[in-house]
Amino acid sequence: MDAIQTVLGRLGLNQNLSAIGIGNCNRAGSAGPVSSRSPIDGTILGTLQAASADDVTPVLEAATDAFRRWRVIPAPARGEFVRRVGNRFRELKPDLAAVITWEAGKITQEALGEVQEVIDICDFAAGLSRQLYGLTIASERPLHRLAEQWHPLGPVGVITAFNFPMAVWAWNAALAWVCGDPVIWKPSEKTPLCALACQAVVASVLQEMSDIPPAVSSVIVGMRDVGERLADAAEIPLVSATGSTAMGRAVAQRVAARLGRSLLELGGNNGMIVTPSADLELTLRAIVFSAVGTCGQRCTTLRRLIVHEDLADKVIDRLVPIYDRLPIGNPAQPGTLVGPLIDEAAWHAMEAALQRASAEGATVHGGRRLKENVPQGGTYVQPAIASFPLRGSAATSLPGTPTRSIVHEETFAPILYVQRYRTFDEAIELHNSVPQGLASSIMTTDMREAEAFCSAAGSDCGIVNVNVGPSGAEIGGAFGGEKATGGGRESGSDSWKNYMRRATNTINYSTQLPLAQGIQFDV
Ligand code: NAD
């Protein structure tokens, strides 16, 4: 605990915490107090006066004002700002990772990985700032030029979840900034210090670069009402919201009511198909990292294993002893692989899901609440495997056999449902049968199966992997998913286009006025 207070001190976060940051100006909010409670042992890391929906108005005004100046600063100069932000994250990487570990409960390796993700997206965005290309299109009219330009969009509202308390903001902010948009961030109320640490890093760069309008970066720590105010704000043309599907549904409807744009990154229910030709050793490693990493609290966590019936018992027999010896405990301690759940509510959800899985025919291994050999005051659990018999087998063909509805839901905890299949088509059908469509994978050495999984008739997800688990994406690819995952794409590839508006230009350099489609309209 002393160690984390020292780290917070170095980042300027151990006293006078302010819920609202506009550039390098901080102020308290007007709502009640909110505390940052470490999931490791329940320690209160800091307390601040949260913002209310009313506090959002001056932030919107400052961001709108900043946009007028920011949009005309050349994109490569905006990229220089982002490059410096990334470098500051490089310098502070261990301290920032420690804040993630203490506030979100990630093991040190994964917390360092999250800060690295911030650095990587800043590098990506700095390069991108010289590549915001538009197309030139052949005009059907003589002596005309048809082309498109990409322009800054306006202030972007960013609502984020607790489980990636820095990276998701960075995926949005780094791209939005090079695209010429100010960012207003409403972080999860469960991880306010991670957000304030990021804002402090940005503020230190703003101090060095006086030509940049400080309100390009704002943070507002508050509850749901702050998120709702952002969703309703006409000043914000784009709201990027990451979190549960229920949250996304609520935000999307509010944004749509004012005809704004929303970019949704919502819940996943990610599957892996294991076929008879799979490399078993590789498969086991991929399963364990994807299913128990971050204690099952990644949007891309592996939740559904779909295994060929000939292989299922063997896979489970190999997984069970691995699960039994997982080092579970303090995520700040070297060697720990599974840290705590974020809070008690997460355990109640896990317990209820396992009870339903049992009632629906699953055999459950693990899934106990741990009280010994773990820090007191945290919520530690043994990851669970819930294995269902083959569909249509004697165990499931009895009248009144329950459906496996629990498998269709995302429970944000380390539960791995195992389902068995006979034919490849059945595996794909099972895989695609859930409402969510984020990440997916197939473990196979059969080229035909691999290509079929990646084809139009294969996985219906936004992320489709072969011989790689569903979890742990690189920033260079577009990240996001289909169906109830919301359809948004962030991070790499051409996701930047979400943060700009496209103008199509037709330029006539002739002395005639020919109309498109050959229309004659002579006066
Ligand atoms: P959550 O939905 O409870 O909260 C996310 C954020 O939304 C928080 O900042 C919260 O205050 C805000 N919020 C909640 N209701 C709101 C409303 N009605 N209007 C406006 N804002 C609202 O999610 P969580 O528990 O913090 O995170 C876990 C969830 O996030 C999981 O479902 C996980 O899959 C998902 N997630 C998705 C991705 C992705 O990229 N697809 C990434 C990380 C997490």
Side-chain angles (χ1 to χ4, degrees):
M1 182 58 201
D2 285 352
I4 186 62
Q5 286 304 346
T6 309
V7 168
L8 292 174
R10 279 202 291 271
L11 295 168
L13 295 178
N14 56 347
Q15 51 191 350
N16 299 328
L17 295 171
S18 304
I20 304 165
I22 305 176
N24 23 41
C25 286
N26 301 320
R27 65 174 81 136
S30 61
V34 64
S35 291
S36 165
R37 182 190 165 280
S38 175
I40 295 181
D41 58 5
T43 303
I44 301 296
L45 300 171
T47 299
L48 45 82
Q49 211 61 35
S52 68
D54 289 344
D55 295 325
V56 176
T57 305
V59 181
L60 291 171
E61 286 166 359
T64 304
D65 207 39
F67 176 58
R68 291 196 191 95
R69 287 165 57 202
W70 190 227
R71 67 185 171 184
V72 291
I73 291 177
R78 300 193 297 249
E80 171 60 13
F81 164 66
V82 173
R83 192 182 67 80
R84 291 201 204 182
V85 170
N87 280 347
R88 197 55 55 82
F89 271 86
R90 260 189 189 90
E91 289 159 19
L92 297 170
K93 184 174 172 181
D95 278 359
L96 292 165
V99 182
I100 294 176
T101 294
W102 274 86
E103 201 176 44
K106 285 193 186 186
I107 61 168
T108 301
Q109 273 303 311
E110 291 187 271
L112 287 167
E114 175 157 0
V115 182
Q116 187 59 44
E117 225 170 313
V118 178
I119 297 164
D120 291 346
I121 194 68
C122 286
D123 286 353
F124 179 92
L128 183 69
S129 69
R130 292 178 183 271
Q131 303 175 71
L132 303 171
Y133 305 133
L135 296 173
T136 303
I137 299 125
S139 171
E140 66 189 47
R141 287 171 276 186
L143 304 181
H144 279 57
R145 183 164 65 81
L146 184 57
E148 61 186 23
Q149 296 185 78
W150 291 89
H151 293 307
L153 186 62
V156 173
V158 178
I159 298 172
T160 58
F162 78 84
N163 66 323
F164 274 92
M166 293 188 187
V168 170
W169 158 79
W171 290 354
N172 284 280
L175 294 197
W177 283 330
V178 296
C179 290
D181 307 330
V183 172
I184 302 172
W185 181 16
K186 185 248 172 286
S188 166
E189 54 276 25
K190 294 175 186 169
T191 51
L193 295 185
C194 286
L196 297 183
C198 292
Q199 179 70 9
V201 170
V202 177
S204 71
V205 176
L206 285 168
Q207 241 150 12
E208 287 169 2
M209 299 181 82
S210 54
D211 48 334
I212 293 184
V216 296
S217 179
S218 304
V219 65
I220 316 174
V221 175
M223 312 305 274
R224 169 190 298 210
D225 60 325
V226 170
E228 289 170 344
R229 175 74 177 89
L230 288 179
D232 291 340
E235 297 89 336
I236 300 180
L238 172 67
V239 176
S240 170
T242 298
S244 57
T245 294
M247 177 280 292
R249 198 166 272 129
V251 167
Q253 287 179 25
R254 295 182 94 109
V255 177
R258 60 172 174 88
L259 301 182
R261 293 190 206 168
S262 46
L263 194 173
L264 303 173
E265 297 283 351
L266 312 175
N269 190 0
N270 316 294
M272 174 192 281
I273 295 177
V274 183
T275 78
S277 72
D279 174 333
L280 190 58
E281 301 311 314
L282 196 87
T283 300
L284 290 168
R285 289 179 56 198
I287 292 172
V288 177
F289 172 71
S290 298
V292 311
T294 324
C295 196
Q297 299 167 110
R298 281 186 179 223
C299 51
T300 52
T301 290
L302 173 61
R303 307 196 183 280
R304 299 181 299 123
L305 198 61
I306 299 161
V307 198
H308 191 271
E309 59 172 332
D310 292 347
L311 208 63
D313 288 340
K314 195 169 171 187
V315 170
I316 293 170
D317 287 350
R318 291 286 306 276
L319 276 179
V320 162
I322 299 174
Y323 266 57
D324 284 346
R325 58 168 199 273
L326 283 170
I328 303 168
N330 188 334
Q333 224 121 69
T336 300
L337 290 182
V338 181
L341 286 172
I342 189 71
D343 53 24
E344 280 290 306
W347 160 242
H348 295 311
M350 178 172 177
E351 201 180 19
L354 288 174
Q355 277 166 8
R356 261 179 68 193
S358 297
E360 293 186 350
T363 304
V364 176
H365 178 83
R368 280 183 307 113
R369 172 84 189 262
L370 301 177
K371 293 280 191 188
E372 281 165 21
N373 303 321
V374 291
Q376 299 307 299
T379 307
Y380 293 84
V381 296
Q382 189 191 19
I385 300 170
S387 166
F388 289 93
L390 188 67
R391 278 199 302 191
S393 67
T396 58
S397 56
L398 299 168
T401 301
T403 60
R404 295 166 184 179
S405 62
I406 190 64
V407 179
H408 291 232
E409 295 175 19
E410 180 199 46
T411 301
F412 218 51
I415 303 174
L416 180 64
Y417 300 113
V418 183
Q419 292 171 284
R420 293 151 204 254
Y421 76 89
R422 286 195 195 94
T423 65
F424 189 70
D425 285 350
E426 190 190 351
I428 298 280
E429 185 226 303
L430 266 178
H431 180 274
N432 292 349
S433 66
V434 298
Q436 309 81 355
L438 181 52
S440 61
S441 72
I442 188 166
M443 304 304 283
T444 183
T445 53
D446 181 325
M447 184 268 271
R448 289 179 180 153
E449 287 174 344
E451 288 292 341
F453 188 68
C454 296
S455 76
S459 163
D460 62 1
C461 291
I463 295 167
V464 183
N465 297 340
V466 176
N467 291 331
V468 175
S471 195
E474 300 179 21
I475 60 99
F479 183 90
E482 304 300 335
K483 303 193 290 184
T485 303
R489 290 297 184 279
E490 285 175 353
S491 198
S493 185
D494 64 351
S495 304
W496 60 270
K497 291 178 177 170
N498 286 312
Y499 303 85
M500 302 200 88
R501 65 181 172 88
R502 185 194 319 232
T504 301
N505 306 142
T506 307
I507 293 128
N508 176 4
Y509 55 98
S510 76
T511 55
Q512 307 299 311
L513 194 65
L515 299 178
Q517 294 88 42
I519 291 173
Q520 296 298 317
F521 199 86
D522 297 326
V523 285

